[in-house]
Amino acid sequence: DGGITQSPKYLFRKEGQNVTLSCEQNLNHDAMYWYRQDPGQGLRLIYYSQIVNDFQKGDIAEGYSVSREKKESFPLTVTSAQKNPTAFYLCASSMGKLEAFFGQGTRLTVV
Amino acid sequence: AQRVTQPEKLLSVFKGAPVELKCNYSYSGSPELFWYVQYSRQRLQLLLRHISRESIKGFTADLNKGETSFHLKKPFAQEEDSAMYYCALRDRPRDNYGQNFVFGPGTRLSVLP
């Protein structure tokens, strides 16, 4: 069953802790993206990667880090430097001229 | 900077009425626009793209470069159309190497019985 899988669906962390969100795709897509979705603000780009071992900052990269060691995986780490980490996080992938395909999302709550 | 605006946060219409969700963009190159839809408890999915010039679930959208708009229209709304709709733009920020997608803030469509 092809697609993008984000895990976990819900994540709770204490303030000050780093947390890593998983994103895996078996679509053989080159490009992968991380977005943050907040009510009234739509989707804002955090990081994106066009190929393995390469990634670029998006509009709101501060307090986040990523890696792209494998084509199918693009994990996002929310660090303690992120001032307002509680949000819904969406991972997506695309290939060439195709549209972006999205995962189900991870809702992160920092308490 | 590339930007997508959707002026309405919430749009409520009655079943069978026409619906138009507005989208405007700013982009320095040749734009490629999309409409995405997010139904309750489902993942964000593509509804249509301007290059296909297709009609999906009765929805159409025409790219108007003069008005920099890509409004989504449906002549007769159905209750199952109730969802969050996002307009998006494909951005190629570095001389056509690499790309990302810029999204608008979204419009929640509520179709009333």
Side-chain angles (χ1 to χ4, degrees):
Chain A
D1 186 24
I4 301 177
T5 302
Q6 290 186 243
S7 61
K9 195 172 180 181
Y10 299 97
L11 192 54
F12 294 87
R13 278 296 181 267
K14 290 184 179 178
E15 195 170 339
Q17 288 183 334
N18 291 357
V19 60
T20 298
L21 283 61
S22 170
C23 178
E24 304 276 330
Q25 55 100 358
N26 61 4
L27 300 168
N28 200 32
H29 285 175
D30 286 322
M32 296 187 74
Y33 315 84
W34 274 105
Y35 290 90
R36 173 178 168 142
Q37 187 178 26
D38 295 288
Q41 298 196 55
L43 279 69
R44 292 182 291 166
L45 184 65
I46 305 173
Y47 268 98
Y48 63 107
S49 168
Q50 302 300 309
I51 54 173
V52 173
N53 293 325
D54 181 57
F55 47 82
Q56 292 84 38
K57 292 182 178 179
D59 300 319
I60 56 166
E62 186 175 350
Y64 300 97
S65 66
V66 293
S67 63
R68 188 86 187 277
E69 297 177 3
K70 298 186 295 183
K71 186 176 185 177
E72 58 271 22
S73 178
F74 191 40
L76 173 74
T77 296
V78 184
T79 76
S80 56
Q82 168 48 233
K83 293 191 168 89
N84 186 20
T86 294
F88 191 58
Y89 292 88
L90 286 171
C91 179
S93 69
S94 72
M95 181 79 164
K97 290 184 178 295
L98 292 177
E99 69 275 17
F101 290 79
F102 282 84
Q104 288 275 28
T106 293
R107 185 166 297 282
L108 172 65
T109 302
V110 175
V111 296
Chain B
Q2 328 315 346
R3 195 175 172 210
V4 177
T5 58
Q6 296 177 250
E8 303 127 336
K9 285 187 179 179
L10 173 65
L11 184 63
S12 295
V13 300
F14 286 102
K15 177 182 172 181
V19 62
E20 181 180 49
L21 286 78
K22 291 184 168 53
C23 171
N24 288 88
Y25 67 90
S26 61
Y27 189 64
S28 55
S30 182
E32 190 174 348
L33 277 296
F34 305 82
W35 274 101
Y36 279 82
V37 60
Q38 191 171 32
Y39 300 104
S40 180
R41 300 186 186 280
Q42 293 188 29
R43 69 180 67 199
L44 197 61
Q45 58 187 285
L46 179 72
L47 180 62
L48 53 79
R49 70 190 94 181
H50 90 268
I51 58 173
S52 301
R53 300 186 65 82
E54 58 202 342
S55 173
I56 302 293
K57 299 184 179 181
F59 284 97
T60 59
D62 290 318
L63 180 62
N64 186 323
K65 290 185 180 181
E67 296 182 358
T68 60
S69 68
F70 188 56
H71 303 328
L72 183 68
K73 300 177 185 178
K74 185 170 183 176
F76 307 104
Q78 304 299 315
E79 289 182 70
E80 54 265 29
D81 295 329
S82 295
M84 195 74 183
Y85 291 80
Y86 292 96
C87 184
L89 168 73
R90 190 196 305 272
D91 184 22
R92 295 183 176 82
R94 293 197 299 184
D95 298 323
N96 283 328
Y97 171 78
Q99 64 177 14
N100 62 70
F101 296 84
V102 178
F103 284 80
T107 297
R108 181 168 297 282
L109 175 64
S110 177
V111 181
L112 308 170

